[in-house]
Amino acid sequence: MLWIDARRDFGSRAASGDIPQLQATAIRIKPDERLRIVNHLGQQVLDTWIFAADAPFEFMSMEHCRDQLYKLFFEVGDELISNRRRPLARIAADTSPGGHDTLCAACDFLSYERQGHGTDHPNCRNNFLTLLEARDDPAAIVPCPWNLFMDIPVASGGQLSDRPSGARPGDYIELTCLLEAVVICSPCPQDRIPISGEGRPPRGLRWERIPSSQ
Ligand SMILES: [Zn+2]
């Protein structure tokens, strides 16, 4: 079983950077700093996890957030909580159409195989585990990501469907971290279902750190 202890030194402390495709990127954010994630090319879906840096095994939990906020989609002002119900981050800004998916697991080798795309398709689970040097751990548990910019409407009967992301080039979301945290992001390499745009290849995003004084 993979458990993540973000107390070890891990995550970029730079002022800004790229979130390249085909890999996961870790960013370390201090309390009251804001992390801006920029969809500079538009429509790219981004699997996102947040881990507490002061405690092992504590991460942003989609099921706990839905329970606490009592909704499926999170908005500006909402606090995102951990599996121990501690507030980890607050959504400070969102220029995108919102509706970021909270329901879907990270894509993996098996999900692509089931869709008929072979056994070695790039995937977010593998990106995450490779970053954490746990790629070959068969028992690794990957928490459900927050799927930024991913539009999965829920019909009145509960059915899900796919829609291309409505994020425009330059749209961004900002998260204020409420304690020291490590944010991990994986641009989703899904290229068969057009969640990241019709006919568009997978691509990277960018991030910026905004100090607490600004
Ligand atoms: Zn994915």
Side-chain angles (χ1 to χ4, degrees):
M1 181 182 297
L2 171 69
W3 284 114
I4 294 160
D5 188 347
R7 291 175 300 178
R8 66 191 172 98
D9 190 20
F10 142 53
S12 172
R13 298 172 188 271
S16 63
D18 291 327
I19 305 172
Q21 62 158 320
L22 300 177
Q23 66 185 72
T25 295
I27 306 152
R28 198 171 190 98
I29 302 290
K30 291 183 176 174
D32 295 327
E33 284 185 338
R34 298 202 305 281
L35 173 64
R36 177 180 291 181
I37 296 172
V38 185
N39 208 326
H40 63 293
L41 299 174
Q43 293 192 298
Q44 176 62 48
V45 168
L46 185 71
D47 289 35
T48 301
W49 298 264
I50 302 176
F51 292 85
D54 68 347
F57 325 136
E58 186 171 2
F59 54 85
M60 174 175 65
S61 165
M62 289 294 97
E63 57 266 43
H64 288 82
C65 291
R66 290 193 300 267
D67 179 29
Q68 181 93 355
L69 295 165
Y70 232 52
K71 53 184 164 181
L72 293 177
F73 306 112
F74 311 145
E75 305 164 277
V76 172
D78 287 346
E79 283 189 354
L80 307 172
I81 64 171
S82 74
N83 55 325
R84 295 181 181 173
R85 295 193 181 273
R86 276 204 303 171
L88 293 181
R90 182 184 302 113
I91 305 174
D94 185 3
T95 69
S96 81
H100 311 278
D101 173 70
T102 70
L103 298 171
C104 294
C107 61
D108 55 40
F109 289 121
L110 294 173
S111 66
Y112 288 105
E113 188 176 13
R114 283 188 59 200
Q115 295 165 14
H117 306 312
T119 58
D120 59 353
H121 193 285
N123 61 81
C124 292
R125 174 184 168 86
N126 190 48
N127 290 348
F128 178 93
L129 293 178
T130 299
L131 176 78
L132 296 165
E133 300 172 351
R135 177 175 180 168
D136 297 323
D137 183 346
I141 292 175
V142 176
C144 181
W146 188 24
N147 296 304
L148 294 179
F149 309 112
M150 183 173 175
D151 188 9
I152 304 293
V154 181
S156 59
Q159 297 92 347
L160 305 183
S161 57
D162 301 308
R163 267 202 309 231
S165 171
R168 299 152 296 209
D171 272 347
Y172 62 83
I173 187 166
E174 278 182 13
L175 304 175
T176 301
C177 283
L178 303 176
L179 44 75
E180 186 158 341
V182 176
V183 181
I184 297 178
C185 300
S186 166
C188 187
Q190 173 61 263
D191 53 359
R192 311 299 171 122
I193 301 170
I195 55 172
S196 293
E198 286 287 353
R200 301 192 70 186
R203 51 213 178 274
L205 295 89
R206 292 177 178 155
W207 63 272
E208 302 167 18
R209 181 190 310 277
I210 302 172
S212 54
S213 59
Q214 294 182 20

